[in-house]
């Protein structure tokens, strides 16, 4: 029926497609009005989404560019061997603050994309392979902090997930296990077909 077709169209509506809902033509007065209202609302939602997306992207660019420039200038100062030590410490403090701002800016940009459901490319993510790669890439940092790392990762395990979000998720979990640890602490990672466990000796 026209009602069920309309209901299916509304369920499948996606802002990223940038196309308003096309509903079946109906001779019933109530359905004609309902379809008109739905079409207007979806068209407005798409327009608002485009404006918000453009604003977010422009804001992200406008913020990241001056931060990158400021960071570059401070790097030049840090390379100046004639810079007095008390000035050097101030430059380092300023550089650290800029790096924090850059990190916040990237996080806000990511959150906006997540809120807008821009991460929807669900694929088979090679979890076992990528976890082993993550551990290997962080090996030097783990050794530097004198952390004992053990892992029991079953081979060839895959999960259906957006690969970008998966990289962020597992990287954050592992980095937190390193960061929030104690001297001569441990990190243990276990991956089976049914579960993923990461634990450390932090408080």
């Amino acid at each position: 029926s026209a009602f069920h077709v309309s209901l299916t169209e509304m369920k499948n509506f996606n802002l990223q497609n940038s196309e308003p809902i096309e509903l079946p033509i109906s001779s019933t007065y109530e359905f004609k009005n309902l379809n008109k209202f739905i079409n207007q609302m979806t068209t407005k939602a798409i327009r608002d989404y485009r404006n918000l997306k453009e604003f977010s992207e422009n804001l992200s660019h406008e913020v990241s560019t001056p931060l990158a420039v400021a960071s570059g200038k401070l790097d030049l100062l840090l390379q100046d061997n004639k810079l007095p030590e008390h000035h050097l410490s101030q430059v380092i403090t300023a550089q650290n603050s800029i790096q924090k701002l850059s990190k916040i800016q990237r996080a806000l940009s990511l959150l906006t994309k997540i809120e807008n459901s821009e991460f929807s490319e669900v694929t088979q993510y090679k979890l076992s392979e990528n976890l082993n790669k993550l551990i290997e890439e962080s090996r030097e940092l783990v050794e530097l902090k004198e952390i004992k790392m053990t892992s029991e990762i079953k081979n060839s395990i895959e999960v259906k997930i957006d690969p970008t979000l998966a990289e962020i998720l597992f990287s954050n979990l592992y980095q937190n296990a390193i960061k929030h640890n104690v001297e001569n602490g441990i990190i243990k990672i276990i991956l089976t077909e049914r579960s993923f466990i990461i634990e450390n000796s932090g408080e």
Side-chain angles (χ1 to χ4, degrees):
S1 67
F3 172 76
H4 288 99
V5 172
S6 298
L7 193 61
T8 300
E9 285 292 323
M10 285 186 283
K11 285 181 179 178
N12 294 333
F13 175 64
N14 190 325
L15 282 170
Q16 281 74 47
N17 293 337
S18 298
E19 292 292 337
I21 292 178
E22 290 189 11
L23 300 171
I25 297 172
S26 175
S27 58
T28 305
Y29 174 78
E30 287 81 7
F31 274 121
K32 284 172 69 175
N33 276 350
L34 177 62
N35 289 353
K36 182 180 178 182
F37 173 76
I38 291 170
N39 186 270
Q40 288 173 343
M41 293 306 295
T42 54
T43 301
K44 183 180 185 302
I46 290 168
R47 185 174 63 249
D48 290 346
Y49 168 74
R50 284 175 181 165
N51 290 338
L52 179 60
K53 188 172 186 294
E54 185 178 349
F55 171 78
S56 299
E57 289 173 350
N58 288 341
L59 180 63
S60 178
H61 175 73
E62 292 296 327
V63 171
S64 62
T65 301
L67 284 175
V69 171
S71 181
K73 298 292 185 184
L74 289 173
D75 281 339
L76 290 175
L77 281 174
L78 289 173
Q79 295 169 24
D80 186 354
N81 296 327
K82 297 178 181 178
L83 198 67
E85 188 172 340
H86 65 283
H87 285 167
L88 183 64
S89 63
Q90 291 176 349
V91 171
I92 291 173
T93 300
Q95 181 70 295
N96 289 338
S97 296
I98 287 177
Q99 288 174 355
K100 286 181 182 178
L101 283 173
S102 296
K103 188 175 181 180
I104 292 169
Q105 181 266 325
R106 290 193 299 270
L108 288 174
S109 178
L110 173 65
L111 285 172
T112 301
K113 289 181 178 180
I114 292 173
E115 282 293 315
N116 290 338
S117 302
E118 291 181 38
F119 294 103
S120 56
E121 185 191 345
V122 177
T123 60
Q124 287 294 122
Y125 181 75
K126 296 180 178 180
L127 183 53
S128 301
E129 181 181 318
N130 284 293
L131 273 178
N132 283 320
K133 188 189 299 182
L134 179 63
I135 291 169
E136 185 59 36
E137 288 173 351
S138 304
R139 190 171 299 280
E140 287 185 11
L141 179 59
V142 169
E143 290 173 355
L144 184 66
K145 288 181 169 284
E146 299 182 344
I147 294 170
K148 183 182 178 182
M149 168 71 203
T150 60
S151 62
E152 299 172 20
I153 297 175
K154 189 171 178 64
N155 292 329
S156 305
I157 291 181
E158 299 184 358
V159 291
K160 288 184 178 180
I161 192 172
D162 183 285
T164 303
L165 292 182
E167 291 288 344
I168 294 167
L169 170 64
F170 291 105
S171 177
N172 280 355
L173 288 171
Y174 188 49
Q175 293 300 326
N176 283 341
I178 297 172
K179 181 179 179 182
H180 303 289
N181 212 317
V182 295
E183 189 175 350
N184 299 315
I186 62 108
I187 294 176
K188 187 173 184 179
I189 294 178
I190 303 172
L191 177 67
T192 69
E193 295 95 335
R194 298 176 61 85
S195 65
F196 168 74
I197 300 170
I198 181 165
E199 59 184 49
N200 70 348
S201 47
E203 295 179 3

